[in-house]
Amino acid sequence: MSTPAGGQPSQVVMETSMGNVTFELYWNHAPKTCYNFAELARTGYYSNCKFHRIIKDFMIQGGDPTGTGRGGTSIYGGYFEDEFHDELKHTGAGIISMANSGPNTNGSQFFITLGPAQWLDGKHTIFGRVCTGIAVVNKAGMVETDAGDRPKDDILILNAYPVQ
């Protein structure tokens, strides 16, 4: 695996339609996942993506350019393997993990927890946490949704970019 342009960024900033959120990346635990996320951000892949699924008190999900929850791909050209570590747990709000459809099906979609979700440990790769902007995440988690957990009003990732 090569290093992202400009080295390993310690954070990724997401400018959303509700405010900015900055994520600290866990390179020591999930290097392939961090590289994927940082490169997708750097190349503009996440720009204008919706947070397409929100479940109150659980999580907000985004990263699918189709906005359906069925799209998106990794920088590796398809799916890539999980990176689980016993010391990383879904202990509370602000954990960022890969969304998937089963083992080793990571692509571009991710979710941010709104509270503890320990039943996801060992099933979804944790690769960082919110270090600034948790109020934005919490506000997004309270928007009105339809019966399919889709926000009634779009919440967009306007821009995302890695920072050192």
Side-chain angles (χ1 to χ4, degrees):
M1 169 176 52
S2 63
T3 304
Q8 282 185 349
S10 60
Q11 300 176 337
V12 166
V13 175
M14 278 193 176
E15 299 170 351
T16 78
S17 55
M18 296 188 89
N20 292 356
V21 180
T22 303
F23 302 97
E24 172 190 354
L25 301 180
Y26 295 161
W27 286 93
N28 291 336
H29 294 90
K32 196 165 188 176
T33 307
C34 289
Y35 181 55
N36 181 66
F37 186 69
E39 280 296 286
L40 291 173
R42 185 187 66 78
T43 60
Y45 187 88
Y46 291 132
S47 295
N48 298 308
C49 279
K50 296 177 185 179
F51 282 97
H52 62 270
R53 185 174 181 220
I54 297 175
I55 301 175
K56 187 177 167 115
D57 299 324
F58 174 36
M59 63 89 198
I60 64 173
Q61 184 173 334
D64 171 10
T66 71
T68 65
R70 294 185 295 273
T73 188
S74 75
I75 62 165
Y76 307 110
Y79 295 138
F80 65 97
E81 67 273 7
D82 296 316
E83 296 177 292
F84 301 137
H85 290 277
D86 288 338
E87 54 275 8
L88 297 180
K89 307 285 186 194
H90 295 89
T91 55
I95 305 295
I96 185 168
S97 298
M98 291 304 290
N100 63 41
S101 57
N104 302 310
T105 59
N106 300 296
S108 64
Q109 293 188 48
F110 59 89
F111 64 90
I112 309 160
T113 58
L114 298 170
Q118 60 279 5
W119 62 92
L120 301 178
D121 295 344
K123 295 177 184 164
H124 295 270
T125 298
I126 296 170
F127 63 96
R129 70 174 184 89
V130 173
C131 56
T132 62
I134 193 67
V136 174
V137 171
N138 290 334
K139 186 167 61 170
M142 296 184 338
V143 301
E144 188 176 359
T145 57
D146 66 17
D149 300 320
R150 298 194 183 285
K152 290 196 174 183
D153 295 314
D154 288 346
I155 301 172
L156 296 174
I157 300 167
L158 304 172
N159 189 24
Y161 51 91
V163 294
Q164 293 298 339

